[in-house]
Amino acid sequence: MSTTNVKMEFYCDENRCIECHGCDVACKQAHHLPVGVNRRRVITLDEGIIGKERTLSIACQHCTDAPCEQVCPVDCFYIRADGIVLHDKETCIGCGYCLYACPFGAPQFPRSGVFGTKGSMDKCTFCAGGPEETLSDAEYKLYGQNRLAEGKLPVCVSMCSTKALLAGDSASVSDVITKRVLRRGNR
Ligand code: SF4
Ligand code: SF4
């Protein structure tokens, strides 16, 4: 999957999300995330406004020119050739700068200590593991499943029953959305 000129991305189709939480629950279980750490969240926008309320599933957007990477004082982020933004938990000092820089609130911390000790940051890896040896126990322990290395989609996308949540290279995702709009009135 790590091919140059390919930019991997998520897309949540608000016309299809039914707020079932299949995606965030699957993520939490697949990666054995501790209480309080949520790599993916289902959010409601314009709550209570009739005709406008909608739900979306959000996680790290694996941004181009990732703001988190730019502010990290210990340089623990790295960006794969396919655009997936990952970080090294062994280098992270838990300062929280990345959370302040991230427009999506994606970085998560396991603790909130009295002296600002938060523990190593955790976030969505696009189910692509981390810097340890691919598919090793060390990688699994720190980052959870590396489904991309097994040729699978991220678990959240696999579990989305309405196919609201999509993942893949930007051209393929855009192709699916365009077809929905043209053929089925965006349903
Ligand atoms: S953590 Fe936030 S800023 Fe960094 S790549 Fe993910 S969404 Fe973008
Ligand atoms: S919490 Fe970790 S990843 Fe985030 S900016 Fe600090 S050192 Fe970098």
Side-chain angles (χ1 to χ4, degrees):
M1 281 249 187
S2 277
T3 318
T4 45
N5 300 322
V6 168
K7 168 78 174 80
M8 302 296 275
E9 66 179 31
F10 285 119
Y11 180 85
C12 183
D13 187 340
E14 65 182 44
N15 294 311
R16 286 184 170 228
C17 180
I18 56 170
E19 205 179 353
C20 69
H21 289 271
C23 52
D24 55 4
V25 171
C27 174
K28 192 122 182 142
Q29 288 182 341
H31 301 301
H32 300 290
L33 302 180
V35 173
V37 170
N38 299 296
R39 292 184 180 180
R40 179 164 286 286
R41 288 167 294 146
V42 177
I43 61 164
T44 304
L45 301 174
D46 291 327
E47 192 162 8
I49 303 176
I50 296 168
K52 286 200 163 182
E53 193 173 287
R54 58 206 197 277
T55 57
L56 286 172
S57 172
I58 63 162
C60 171
Q61 296 300 300
H62 300 275
C63 311
T64 304
D65 299 325
C68 53
E69 185 204 23
Q70 292 172 25
V71 299
C72 178
V74 292
D75 224 4
C76 73
F77 288 89
Y78 61 102
I79 302 178
R80 295 180 13 148
D82 57 9
I84 296 174
V85 178
L86 298 178
H87 72 293
D88 185 344
K89 283 191 177 183
E90 304 280 35
T91 305
C92 173
I93 55 173
C95 67
Y97 283 17
C98 52
L99 176 57
Y100 290 113
C102 174
F104 302 99
Q108 302 281 299
F109 295 90
R111 293 192 296 273
S112 183
V114 280
F115 300 112
T117 48
K118 290 168 173 289
S120 292
M121 188 272 278
D122 189 282
K123 73 168 191 69
C124 161
T125 65
F126 214 94
C127 286
E132 274 71 19
E133 186 187 340
T134 300
L135 297 177
S136 63
D137 287 348
E139 182 191 53
Y140 180 75
K141 193 167 165 229
L142 285 169
Y143 305 95
Q145 295 185 15
N146 188 339
R147 293 172 56 92
L148 256 64
E150 298 174 326
K152 299 175 183 167
L153 283 169
V155 69
C156 51
V157 172
S158 296
M159 293 303 288
C160 179
S161 58
T162 65
K163 302 294 175 216
L165 192 58
L166 304 171
D169 66 275
S170 48
S172 310
V173 170
S174 154
D175 194 42
V176 172
I177 297 301
T178 303
K179 281 180 180 152
R180 283 183 188 175
V181 171
L182 292 178
R183 292 186 189 168
R184 291 177 290 172
N186 205 22
R187 291 192 301 277

